[in-house]
Each structure stands twice: as C-alpha cells, then as structure tokens.
Amino acid sequence: MRFAAMNFHYVRHTLLSFLDDAVACGFRDVELWAASPHFNIDDINFSMVRHLRRELVARELTLCCITPEQCVYPISLSIQDKTMRRRSMEYFKRTIDIASALSCPMVLVTPGYGYFDRPHDEAWKLCTESLSELASYAEDAGVVLPLECLLSTTSNVLNRCDELAKMLQQINSPTLVSVIDFNQMADTGESVKDYCNALGDSLRHVHFIDGMPNGHLALGDGGLPLDRYVQEWKDAGYDGISSLEICDRRYYHEPRKALERCVAWLRTRGLMSL
C-alpha cells in the first residue's frame, strides 16, 4: 500500500522542512496542500514551480496530488455570486496548469457551497456546470480531478457518498473521480464499504486520518474504527494512494512527531514497510 505525507500541519514551518521530514519518515509520495505560506496558488510563478520540482527530484519524492486551499479561502464552485465563482474557476484552472507543469497527476476539488438560505437546486446546478468545465480543462491538461464531499457545516451541495455518486454520474467525465475522507465519512455515519459500493472504480484517492469523528488527527489520536476501515478497504481491492491529512493545531509546534506517530501506527499493522 502507498501512503503519502501531507503538509497542512506544517503551516508554521517551511515547506522544505516538511519535505525533509517526509523523507526521514520513509515516505516516497507527498500530497501538497497548496496554500500560504508554503505554496499559495495566487502568488506562484513558474520559477517557483521549477524550484519545487528540483526540491522534489533532489529528495526522490513523487507529488501524487495538489490540494489547493478551498475551505478557508474565498473559493466555491457552487456560489451564486458570479465574481466569486469566476475567481474560483480561474483558481482551479491555474492549479491544474501548475500540476501539469509538475507532472502531478491529480488536483483535488470540492464542491464549495451555495448560499444556505437559497434553494439547494441552485447550488447543485452551478456546481455541475463548474465541474463540467473544469473536467474538460483538466482532461486537456492530462490531470485527474478527485472530488471530495464536505461537512454539512461547510457545504450544502455534497455531504454523502450517494450525492457524490450522483454528481459523477451526471457529469460523466473520466477525468472526474472520487475521494474518501475518513472524517467527512464518519460525520455522516457512513463507512468505507458504503463509499466503495456507491462509487466503485471511480474511487481514486483517500484522506486517511483519525478523528472524534472530526479533527483530522494523527492515527491513534482519535476514536475512529480505523482497523475496520482498513479491512473494508482491502476487501474492496483499493490500490490507490492514501494521504495523511493531519490538520489539528495541536501538531503545529512539532509536526514531525505527528508523522512519526502515523508511521508507527501503519507499521504495527504491516501497512507500511521499514
């Protein structure tokens, strides 16, 4: 199985320290949370892209996915405000261009949200239009778009795996695939088995983290039934990459310790080799 380190909880440290720690902890794949101060999409030029490529190559690291910040920043593919939605489309297209330049195969997208006091159908329609356009753009660039559900407090468009399956079916693009995030999944009472049954071969990426059920915690620091998730995942034959999306502020001072805790958890279960 392939696991990737992710840099979200290194937000108070340099990106290069994250890359060094990823190598030291035994990772060969990384997922880039693209945000300030590490790699803000709106500030990046292609000289910076070339620099990042050199740093990855020097460490023999593979960039498996770029996940641009899209929950804290004013980004939403489903918002009724035309200016914000246009900015959001430009933001994701720029990310796709950067991923292509870095030979990164995936850019993770989320539905964003529509105004909560407006009909759900409005946001759904805008989301399908936005994702259809992005999928076409990404296909031309040779980049795949894994689509992730969000918590109901964040999005009123996609929260459950059946809604995610419906969106993929409606858009019907080979470029648009699906993601499991264990925290989002647990929040709705769903399981890995539910996701695999609903999404089948479209399931291409996993955010493998612990929680209570939320929190995006290091493995073993929460209360999720991770061993059961792993077994359901094995039963479904999932063979993609899983990223450790650790986000909680408790890890900001000593982020490497959180990575080491995850590696220890995975190794005790034979999921990550020495």
Side-chain angles (χ1 to χ4, degrees):
M1 293 184 178
R2 292 174 63 192
F3 291 88
M6 198 169 174
N7 59 304
F8 195 114
H9 66 302
Y10 276 77
V11 66
R12 299 293 184 260
H13 300 253
T14 64
L15 181 59
L16 295 186
S17 70
F18 161 71
L19 297 179
D20 288 340
D21 286 354
V23 172
C25 290
F27 292 95
R28 290 295 172 262
D29 296 280
V30 292
E31 177 173 345
L32 177 64
W33 171 64
S36 293
H38 290 169
F39 200 84
N40 181 15
I41 295 300
D42 290 331
D43 296 334
I44 294 302
N45 59 48
F46 278 89
S47 174
M48 298 173 184
V49 171
R50 288 192 295 271
H51 175 71
L52 177 58
R53 178 191 283 274
R54 287 195 297 269
E55 296 295 342
L56 291 167
V57 169
R59 293 166 177 80
E60 298 183 346
L61 287 169
T62 298
L63 182 59
C64 66
C65 183
I66 297 177
T67 296
E69 177 54 57
Q70 50 202 282
C71 294
V72 177
Y73 291 180
I75 300 298
S76 173
L77 296 176
S78 306
I79 194 70
Q80 288 88 342
D81 181 89
K82 292 181 180 179
T83 300
M84 182 174 169
R85 196 169 71 258
R86 182 172 60 251
R87 182 196 306 120
S88 302
M89 293 294 290
E90 292 170 355
Y91 177 80
F92 279 111
K93 287 179 180 179
R94 181 167 174 77
T95 308
I96 291 166
D97 291 340
I98 290 169
S100 179
L102 287 168
S103 300
C104 176
M106 297 193 293
V107 169
L108 188 141
V109 296
T110 61
Y113 61 92
Y115 291 125
F116 282 24
D117 59 347
R118 297 285 291 271
H120 171 267
D121 289 350
E122 286 185 4
W124 182 274
K125 180 175 183 294
L126 292 171
C127 188
T128 57
E129 291 174 356
S130 298
L131 285 172
S132 294
E133 182 177 339
L134 282 183
S136 177
Y137 190 88
E139 186 171 3
D140 289 342
V143 174
V144 170
L145 304 179
L147 176 62
E148 181 181 328
C149 290
L150 294 173
L151 298 175
S152 60
T153 50
T154 304
S155 175
N156 57 349
V157 184
L158 295 178
N159 309 124
R160 302 179 59 86
C161 63
D162 57 338
E163 297 167 336
L164 182 51
K166 179 181 176 182
M167 180 67 73
L168 295 182
Q169 183 178 26
Q170 188 166 333
I171 295 174
N172 192 29
S173 167
T175 304
L176 193 65
V177 296
S178 60
V179 183
I180 297 178
D181 181 292
F182 284 177
N183 280 189
Q184 324 287 7
M185 178 185 75
D187 186 75
T188 57
E190 296 174 304
S191 66
V192 171
K193 185 177 180 179
D194 293 330
Y195 265 73
C196 291
N197 287 341
L199 296 161
D201 292 340
S202 79
L203 184 59
R204 297 280 293 277
H205 198 53
V206 173
H207 280 163
F208 191 106
I209 25 77
D210 212 340
M212 297 293 290
N214 302 318
H216 286 75
L217 306 178
L219 305 181
D221 284 354
L224 297 184
L226 297 177
D227 289 308
R228 175 164 64 82
Y229 292 172
V230 168
Q231 189 57 54
E232 291 177 344
W233 183 31
K234 288 181 176 179
D235 291 343
Y238 177 76
D239 60 358
I241 291 181
S242 298
S243 292
L244 303 170
E245 191 186 33
I246 307 165
C247 300
D248 196 274
R249 289 176 179 267
R250 73 183 70 177
Y251 307 115
Y252 281 9
H253 282 286
E254 297 181 296
R256 177 167 167 170
K257 287 187 176 180
L259 278 184
E260 291 171 341
R261 182 167 177 78
C262 290
V263 168
W265 191 96
L266 292 168
R267 285 177 175 168
T268 60
R269 289 154 177 81
L271 298 173
M272 188 172 176
S273 60
L274 295 172

